[in-house]
Amino acid sequence: MLLAALDAALERGQRAAIATVVRVRGSAYRREGTRMLVLDDGAQVCMLSGGCLEGEVVEAALGIIASGTPEIVHYDLSEDATWGLGLGCGGSVDVRLERVERDPVTLAWLDALRSGDAAALCVPIHGGGRFLLREHPGHGETGESETLLGQLDDPALHAFAVTAARARLHTRDPRAATVAAPDGQEVFIDVNAPAPELVIYGAGHDAIPLSAQAVTLGYRVTVVDPRDAYLTRGRFPGAALSPLAPEDLHGNLVLTPRTQAIIMNHHLDRDRVCLWHALNSAAPFIGMLGPRSRYHQLTDALAQEGLHATPEQLARVHSPVGLSVGAEAPEEVALSILGELMAWRRGAAGQPLNGHEGPIHHTYAARRELEQDPEPQPG
């Protein structure tokens, strides 16, 4: 919505500013990276809060549109100010306001947003310059190539920010954040992350709700099954369909570090081949439907063929896949599986919130631990 509105405004010759949340202290309705568009006539697209903060942001953004000088504005959401702002949270946010220009870095960033490429736009909190680190879809196991456009004025901060941006793009769930260099300087890393990828081996009846719910949650879903009667658009709307037979998977279906795979063929031979394919891919999450004993049966069968998985490969397997919520019907099983996938991506425990003290959402410490604990590489 924001990007379409910006494109339309630029075509009309309107000037515009983008307001971006660059820091959250305490609790707030939105997290870092939330954006709002403000046009030179005072119109706004998207929101940064529950509603009352937007008027102040629009007023400040109009000044930025006139001056062209970026600015960071601090908004206090403490309990005393909460009722005035209507946000209902105790904390504060810093919002960066910047006029939209047609410079190469901005144009490349907007293009990355349109295409869905993984990209990080890095801007110092204090100081000049900025750069865009962008990953382009390619071929091979990594499936990506990288370009860097622009530079921060401070060379040491630039070097730190490039490393930090690259690390952030390669986390399980890339998110925007303000990070501090060793010398105390800070840089805001805005992130555009591609949709998570889900490969479902098997087009049986219980794969239908899993695919449908995953599509609703924004996953890019691929369903793999050689049976034409099962693999149809009517059964899997919104998903890509791959009619590959198990023996044709290697070399024809690439699972990247952004792929999560679920094996649910309900057929021992097909599941065995699909498991070996997934183990020898870059997929960091491999889910096996069914009891643990069935998984052991599959790995034993692979071993008898002389196909021995490494401990690092097996560490990526989740068996049985799903959270323990008492799921029985296919729709419930799908919910259980997607619940575990979300918890895995976000670094959450997947436990009830009842009785939990403190912030409900991710803490910065938890995110840092997630970033410092990279996924094991495929063997």
Side-chain angles (χ1 to χ4, degrees), residues 170-183:
H170 291 135
T171 58
R172 295 179 188 171
D173 188 36
R175 294 183 179 231
T178 294
V179 298
D183 63 1

PDB file of all heavy atoms in Angstrom, residues 170-183:
ATOM      1  N   HIS A 170      20.798 -12.483   7.332  1.00  0.00           N
ATOM      2  CA  HIS A 170      20.909 -13.938   7.355  1.00  0.00           C
ATOM      3  C   HIS A 170      20.403 -14.554   8.655  1.00  0.00           C
ATOM      4  O   HIS A 170      20.693 -15.712   8.948  1.00  0.00           O
ATOM      5  CB  HIS A 170      22.369 -14.348   7.097  1.00  0.00           C
ATOM      6  CG  HIS A 170      22.809 -14.055   5.705  1.00  0.00           C
ATOM      7  ND1 HIS A 170      24.018 -13.466   5.403  1.00  0.00           N
ATOM      8  CD2 HIS A 170      22.177 -14.232   4.515  1.00  0.00           C
ATOM      9  CE1 HIS A 170      24.126 -13.316   4.094  1.00  0.00           C
ATOM     10  NE2 HIS A 170      23.023 -13.767   3.534  1.00  0.00           N
ATOM     11  N   THR A 171      19.651 -13.798   9.437  1.00  0.00           N
ATOM     12  CA  THR A 171      18.991 -14.385  10.595  1.00  0.00           C
ATOM     13  C   THR A 171      17.733 -15.117  10.140  1.00  0.00           C
ATOM     14  O   THR A 171      17.282 -14.973   9.001  1.00  0.00           O
ATOM     15  CB  THR A 171      18.615 -13.310  11.630  1.00  0.00           C
ATOM     16  OG1 THR A 171      17.753 -12.342  11.006  1.00  0.00           O
ATOM     17  CG2 THR A 171      19.845 -12.618  12.173  1.00  0.00           C
ATOM     18  N   ARG A 172      17.153 -15.893  11.023  1.00  0.00           N
ATOM     19  CA  ARG A 172      15.944 -16.643  10.663  1.00  0.00           C
ATOM     20  C   ARG A 172      14.787 -15.724  10.291  1.00  0.00           C
ATOM     21  O   ARG A 172      14.018 -16.025   9.380  1.00  0.00           O
ATOM     22  CB  ARG A 172      15.511 -17.517  11.842  1.00  0.00           C
ATOM     23  CG  ARG A 172      16.464 -18.618  12.218  1.00  0.00           C
ATOM     24  CD  ARG A 172      15.910 -19.368  13.421  1.00  0.00           C
ATOM     25  NE  ARG A 172      16.863 -20.322  13.967  1.00  0.00           N
ATOM     26  CZ  ARG A 172      16.683 -20.968  15.099  1.00  0.00           C
ATOM     27  NH1 ARG A 172      15.592 -20.742  15.810  1.00  0.00           N
ATOM     28  NH2 ARG A 172      17.586 -21.815  15.528  1.00  0.00           N
ATOM     29  N   ASP A 173      14.676 -14.619  11.005  1.00  0.00           N
ATOM     30  CA  ASP A 173      13.545 -13.714  10.808  1.00  0.00           C
ATOM     31  C   ASP A 173      14.084 -12.280  10.762  1.00  0.00           C
ATOM     32  O   ASP A 173      14.021 -11.564  11.750  1.00  0.00           O
ATOM     33  CB  ASP A 173      12.535 -13.883  11.957  1.00  0.00           C
ATOM     34  CG  ASP A 173      11.249 -13.115  11.706  1.00  0.00           C
ATOM     35  OD1 ASP A 173      10.827 -13.039  10.541  1.00  0.00           O
ATOM     36  OD2 ASP A 173      10.670 -12.596  12.674  1.00  0.00           O
ATOM     37  N   PRO A 174      14.651 -11.848   9.628  1.00  0.00           N
ATOM     38  CA  PRO A 174      15.318 -10.539   9.568  1.00  0.00           C
ATOM     39  C   PRO A 174      14.380  -9.394   9.928  1.00  0.00           C
ATOM     40  O   PRO A 174      13.267  -9.305   9.413  1.00  0.00           O
ATOM     41  CB  PRO A 174      15.763 -10.446   8.104  1.00  0.00           C
ATOM     42  CG  PRO A 174      15.818 -11.859   7.622  1.00  0.00           C
ATOM     43  CD  PRO A 174      14.712 -12.564   8.349  1.00  0.00           C
ATOM     44  N   ARG A 175      14.859  -8.517  10.824  1.00  0.00           N
ATOM     45  CA  ARG A 175      14.064  -7.377  11.257  1.00  0.00           C
ATOM     46  C   ARG A 175      14.935  -6.139  11.345  1.00  0.00           C
ATOM     47  O   ARG A 175      16.143  -6.210  11.571  1.00  0.00           O
ATOM     48  CB  ARG A 175      13.442  -7.649  12.621  1.00  0.00           C
ATOM     49  CG  ARG A 175      12.414  -8.772  12.597  1.00  0.00           C
ATOM     50  CD  ARG A 175      11.781  -8.955  13.949  1.00  0.00           C
ATOM     51  NE  ARG A 175      10.786 -10.016  13.898  1.00  0.00           N
ATOM     52  CZ  ARG A 175       9.541  -9.876  14.346  1.00  0.00           C
ATOM     53  NH1 ARG A 175       9.145  -8.740  14.866  1.00  0.00           N
ATOM     54  NH2 ARG A 175       8.694 -10.884  14.268  1.00  0.00           N
ATOM     55  N   ALA A 176      14.285  -4.983  11.183  1.00  0.00           N
ATOM     56  CA  ALA A 176      14.986  -3.713  11.304  1.00  0.00           C
ATOM     57  C   ALA A 176      15.372  -3.456  12.754  1.00  0.00           C
ATOM     58  O   ALA A 176      14.693  -3.906  13.683  1.00  0.00           O
ATOM     59  CB  ALA A 176      14.102  -2.581  10.793  1.00  0.00           C
ATOM     60  N   ALA A 177      16.465  -2.713  12.948  1.00  0.00           N
ATOM     61  CA  ALA A 177      16.916  -2.390  14.301  1.00  0.00           C
ATOM     62  C   ALA A 177      17.984  -1.309  14.234  1.00  0.00           C
ATOM     63  O   ALA A 177      18.649  -1.118  13.214  1.00  0.00           O
ATOM     64  CB  ALA A 177      17.461  -3.617  15.012  1.00  0.00           C
ATOM     65  N   THR A 178      18.141  -0.597  15.341  1.00  0.00           N
ATOM     66  CA  THR A 178      19.264   0.306  15.526  1.00  0.00           C
ATOM     67  C   THR A 178      20.331  -0.434  16.313  1.00  0.00           C
ATOM     68  O   THR A 178      20.051  -0.987  17.380  1.00  0.00           O
ATOM     69  CB  THR A 178      18.837   1.577  16.278  1.00  0.00           C
ATOM     70  OG1 THR A 178      17.932   2.320  15.449  1.00  0.00           O
ATOM     71  CG2 THR A 178      20.037   2.447  16.612  1.00  0.00           C
ATOM     72  N   VAL A 179      21.558  -0.486  15.784  1.00  0.00           N
ATOM     73  CA  VAL A 179      22.640  -1.227  16.422  1.00  0.00           C
ATOM     74  C   VAL A 179      23.798  -0.278  16.704  1.00  0.00           C
ATOM     75  O   VAL A 179      23.978   0.734  16.018  1.00  0.00           O
ATOM     76  CB  VAL A 179      23.112  -2.403  15.544  1.00  0.00           C
ATOM     77  CG1 VAL A 179      21.986  -3.398  15.335  1.00  0.00           C
ATOM     78  CG2 VAL A 179      23.628  -1.906  14.198  1.00  0.00           C
ATOM     79  N   ALA A 180      24.568  -0.603  17.724  1.00  0.00           N
ATOM     80  CA  ALA A 180      25.680   0.246  18.145  1.00  0.00           C
ATOM     81  C   ALA A 180      27.011  -0.389  17.775  1.00  0.00           C
ATOM     82  O   ALA A 180      27.231  -1.581  17.996  1.00  0.00           O
ATOM     83  CB  ALA A 180      25.622   0.484  19.652  1.00  0.00           C
ATOM     84  N   ALA A 181      27.902   0.422  17.199  1.00  0.00           N
ATOM     85  CA  ALA A 181      29.258  -0.008  16.888  1.00  0.00           C
ATOM     86  C   ALA A 181      30.084  -0.029  18.170  1.00  0.00           C
ATOM     87  O   ALA A 181      29.672   0.533  19.196  1.00  0.00           O
ATOM     88  CB  ALA A 181      29.881   0.936  15.869  1.00  0.00           C
ATOM     89  N   PRO A 182      31.247  -0.659  18.171  1.00  0.00           N
ATOM     90  CA  PRO A 182      32.091  -0.698  19.378  1.00  0.00           C
ATOM     91  C   PRO A 182      32.436   0.671  19.934  1.00  0.00           C
ATOM     92  O   PRO A 182      32.625   0.817  21.147  1.00  0.00           O
ATOM     93  CB  PRO A 182      33.348  -1.444  18.893  1.00  0.00           C
ATOM     94  CG  PRO A 182      32.865  -2.309  17.786  1.00  0.00           C
ATOM     95  CD  PRO A 182      31.806  -1.513  17.099  1.00  0.00           C
ATOM     96  N   ASP A 183      32.519   1.689  19.074  1.00  0.00           N
ATOM     97  CA  ASP A 183      32.862   3.025  19.561  1.00  0.00           C
ATOM     98  C   ASP A 183      31.646   3.822  20.027  1.00  0.00           C
ATOM     99  O   ASP A 183      31.749   4.993  20.374  1.00  0.00           O
ATOM    100  CB  ASP A 183      33.608   3.819  18.481  1.00  0.00           C
ATOM    101  CG  ASP A 183      32.755   4.058  17.231  1.00  0.00           C
ATOM    102  OD1 ASP A 183      31.592   3.616  17.216  1.00  0.00           O
ATOM    103  OD2 ASP A 183      33.278   4.677  16.277  1.00  0.00           O
TER     104      ASP A 183
END
